[in-house]
Amino acid sequence: MLRYTSSLNGKLGSRLAARGPGSSQRWHGSVSSEAAAAAEPDMPLSQTPVLRSLTRTGTPLRMLILGAPGAGKGTQSARIRQAFDVAAISSGDVLRRNIAEQTAAGRQAAAAVASGRLVSDDVIVELIRSELDRIPGNWLLDGFPRNQAQAQALDAMLAAAGQPLNAVVNLQVPEAVILQRVVERYVHVASGRVYNLTYNPPKVAGRDDVTGEPLEHRPDDNPDAFRCRLAQYHELTEPLLDYYAQRGVLTSFSGDTSDAIFPQFYDFLDRRFV
């Protein structure tokens, strides 16, 4: 298992400088690249970021992001997509969309949810497979697998498609820091944009920066609920670190903030992309 603790490297700084005045703001907060572009409609074409898509080996990036709830997986995913041509797949988003669109797998998932049952691993794997079938290039997956049985099912599906995982990234953030994040976290549900009252507050209190729509504070974003989710993570998901370490694909990044972790993540990908 590799472990990174580096700070912002010169390559990232030089790339930001090359994009012109004001471009560094694209690397802060959790707003997606699409939202950032919408917020800056008059950006000259010369300042539009050129996404890096080719890996040095020629094999597309197939990556998982792991970490405790509140570790910043969504934030890192959004920042990565502002520099690299990588499709991001959130298992939760995929599940909700298929239920809304009433696909075959979505109807099975909806039936399970309506009856109070967990959505089966087979259904989730099928949803992920359908999503990956539409992506010819690089991708990263967030939110699945959550346990070893799911990891094995995912590996079998990817092996059958001839597309095994080639990177698993684990975000290590102190639990006390995550708890503070979770308590102060507000979400724009429609877009998934996340705000924090301390380090990434909305421009207008309680309102999304892009749409102006109300933000929501999740009912389970409180200390007691978080500790329960964290206990589940330690029991079910944390063992995946050993599972992927044994396969030689695990890398861990450590830090108290997303700004501390992202340069490590960028450096890791910078070494893989042309």
Side-chain angles (χ1 to χ4, degrees):
M1 178 180 71
L2 301 176
R3 187 180 305 277
Y4 283 70
T5 56
S6 62
S7 59
L8 181 63
N9 61 35
K11 292 182 181 179
L12 175 55
S14 63
R15 288 184 186 277
L16 291 177
R19 290 180 178 170
S23 63
S24 62
Q25 67 184 351
R26 290 183 171 273
W27 300 89
H28 299 280
S30 57
V31 178
S32 67
S33 56
E34 296 83 2
E40 299 178 281
D42 298 325
M43 173 182 285
L45 184 61
S46 61
Q47 292 186 29
T48 302
V50 177
L51 302 182
R52 299 164 66 185
S53 60
L54 298 177
T55 64
R56 298 183 187 277
T57 64
T59 300
L61 180 72
R62 298 186 288 267
M63 179 171 65
L64 300 183
I65 300 184
L66 301 177
K73 297 184 290 294
T75 297
Q76 297 299 331
S77 172
R79 292 185 178 188
I80 288 165
R81 288 182 288 124
Q82 293 175 23
F84 301 94
D85 186 11
V86 178
I89 305 165
S90 165
S91 60
D93 290 345
V94 171
L95 178 62
R96 286 186 289 271
R97 189 181 72 246
N98 277 267
I99 289 176
E101 294 176 355
Q102 297 186 350
T103 64
R107 289 194 296 272
Q108 295 181 58
V113 172
S115 64
R117 295 179 287 111
L118 294 175
V119 179
S120 72
D121 291 351
D122 289 344
V123 171
I124 296 294
V125 169
E126 174 58 25
L127 292 175
I128 298 299
R129 185 198 62 76
S130 297
E131 199 73 13
L132 294 179
D133 282 348
R134 298 186 289 181
I135 301 173
N138 309 299
W139 53 260
L140 65 86
L141 178 59
D142 166 22
F144 186 87
R146 294 179 182 271
N147 57 55
Q148 188 161 319
Q150 292 178 349
Q152 292 169 339
L154 178 65
D155 281 350
M157 181 266 286
L158 293 174
Q163 298 182 351
L165 288 171
N166 51 34
V168 177
V169 167
N170 175 48
L171 306 182
Q172 295 181 321
V173 181
E175 292 180 8
V177 172
I178 296 178
L179 175 59
Q180 188 63 31
R181 285 185 188 177
V182 166
V183 170
E184 297 185 347
R185 179 168 60 186
Y186 284 79
V187 180
H188 179 245
V189 175
S191 68
R193 283 184 287 274
V194 180
Y195 299 86
N196 181 278
L197 299 183
T198 296
Y199 64 83
N200 182 36
K203 296 176 182 177
V204 177
R207 296 284 176 176
D208 176 51
D209 287 352
V210 177
T211 66
E213 295 172 344
L215 302 176
E216 294 187 15
H217 186 68
R218 287 174 41 172
D220 59 347
D221 277 350
N222 62 75
D224 290 340
F226 170 74
R227 291 187 181 96
C228 289
R229 287 157 57 196
L230 195 59
Q232 291 179 330
Y233 167 79
H234 286 313
E235 178 183 358
L236 297 176
T237 308
E238 204 170 55
L240 291 180
L241 302 182
D242 289 336
Y243 178 84
Y244 288 119
Q246 291 171 8
R247 284 155 179 75
V249 293
L250 180 68
T251 302
S252 292
F253 305 134
S254 301
D256 286 2
T257 67
S258 294
D259 285 344
I261 288 178
F262 179 66
Q264 303 170 49
F265 213 149
Y266 181 93
D267 184 63
F268 172 75
L269 293 177
D270 184 59
R271 297 168 186 267
R272 286 175 170 257
F273 280 79
V274 175

